[in-house]
Amino acid sequence: MVALTKNQNKWGFACGRVSALEGRLISQETFHILAGLEKVKDIFNRLQETALREHMTHGALTWEDWSTVIDNYVHATILSLKQCSPNGAVSDLYSLSEDYLNLKRAVQNRGSFPFSKSQFDENRLTEVAAGNPSLLPQIIRPAISQLLGGLGTDDTDQFTLDVVLDGAFLRHYLHLAEQTEAPFIVEWVKQRVLGRALVALWRALRAGQSLKTFQTHFLPLGEFNGLITEISVIADPKAWGALIPGRIGDLWLDSFEAAEDEQVSTFETLLSNMLTDIAQRVKLQTAGPERVAGYLWGLWVEAYNLKLIISGKLNELDSDLLKKRIRNTYV
């Protein structure tokens, strides 16, 4: 296991803030209590006792309201930590997904960019929408260039768009990890990237899409190029487990013990729980980028669990099913 960085006193203030913020994260037990409540109103009352209350307004009972409240809470926390951190790449790892939601809209020239912005400001996005990707980072510029003006609106083109953007996101994510100058974070990110790549391939296969598209439009992904190329020609995803290295390969095979329609989501949950187990190693670090990254992962899992429970309650899903899908928390 890669060691944590040492003598990172410049991270002392940010890690001091993290020490306080960790105490505000919602526990596993509380999520199970929330999943057992029958009414969304009761969930609202319970959440008034959490850090989320600062972003809540009375009567926010539609899914759009709840989703916005949670996203605003997460974004505000990420931005606050970035402002007091000596290296913003750590925080950028956790805001990048919203950047790519805006980037997809820019590629499609959809006119507005409503999601939080970190890597791509309004000017960059407007240039992309006009067909000019020159302001984008070099690591993703070739991929985005091939999209501009070259895709239609049919299902095949939309699938290609998603594959290109997914590959660009993962390359960008790996690039940000390298910028943190923390080997532990880099290795953790590689595990997440591999897991996300496998899920993308699996979901595409289940949807009847050709995995050859991934060989053409998803790569390069560094050390995972060979693996992705190899499994792209194997029609049985269970057989991929013999090729997937390390603990993720074990989790992959474990997921096939679930019902067929639950296998992908089961793998995602197992992967998330593994990443949380690894991230928890940093909780005793006094000062270093890993401590901030670990907390932000915990915050990301918290947001996922909140959205899972609230969406499930609004759609009247069974409480036991929701409890089964709750991901392990950082605290």
Coordinates of all heavy atoms in Angstrom, one line a residue, residues 127-128 132-137 141:
E127 N -16.8 29.2 -26.0 CA -16.0 28.9 -27.1 C -16.2 27.5 -27.7 O -16.2 27.3 -28.9 CB -14.5 29.1 -26.8 CG -14.1 30.6 -26.6 CD -14.2 31.3 -27.9 OE1 -13.6 30.8 -28.9 OE2 -14.8 32.4 -27.9
V128 N -16.3 26.5 -26.8 CA -16.6 25.2 -27.3 C -17.9 25.1 -28.0 O -18.1 24.5 -29.1 CB -16.6 24.2 -26.1 CG1 -17.1 22.8 -26.5 CG2 -15.2 24.1 -25.5
N132 N -15.0 26.0 -31.0 CA -13.6 26.2 -30.8 C -13.1 25.6 -29.5 O -13.4 26.1 -28.4 CB -13.3 27.7 -30.8 CG -11.8 28.0 -30.4 OD1 -11.0 27.2 -30.6 ND2 -11.6 29.2 -30.0
P133 N -12.4 24.5 -29.5 CA -11.9 23.8 -28.3 C -10.5 24.2 -27.8 O -10.0 23.6 -26.9 CB -11.9 22.3 -28.7 CG -11.4 22.4 -30.1 CD -12.0 23.7 -30.7
S134 N -10.0 25.3 -28.4 CA -8.6 25.6 -28.2 C -8.3 26.0 -26.7 O -7.1 26.0 -26.3 CB -8.1 26.7 -29.1 OG -8.9 27.9 -28.9
L135 N -9.3 26.5 -26.0 CA -9.1 26.9 -24.6 C -9.2 25.7 -23.6 O -8.9 25.9 -22.4 CB -10.1 28.0 -24.2 CG -10.1 29.3 -25.0 CD1 -11.2 30.2 -24.5 CD2 -8.7 29.9 -24.9
L136 N -9.5 24.5 -24.1 CA -9.6 23.4 -23.2 C -8.2 22.8 -22.9 O -7.2 23.0 -23.7 CB -10.4 22.3 -23.8 CG -11.9 22.6 -24.0 CD1 -12.6 21.5 -24.8 CD2 -12.6 22.9 -22.7
P137 N -8.0 22.1 -21.8 CA -6.7 21.5 -21.5 C -6.3 20.5 -22.6 O -7.1 19.8 -23.2 CB -6.9 20.7 -20.2 CG -8.1 21.4 -19.6 CD -9.0 21.9 -20.7
R141 N -8.3 18.0 -25.3 CA -8.7 18.8 -26.5 C -8.9 17.9 -27.8 O -9.8 18.1 -28.5 CB -7.6 19.8 -26.8 CG -8.0 21.0 -27.7 CD -6.9 21.9 -27.9 NE -6.4 22.4 -26.7 CZ -5.2 22.9 -26.4 NH1 -4.3 22.9 -27.4 NH2 -4.8 23.4 -25.3

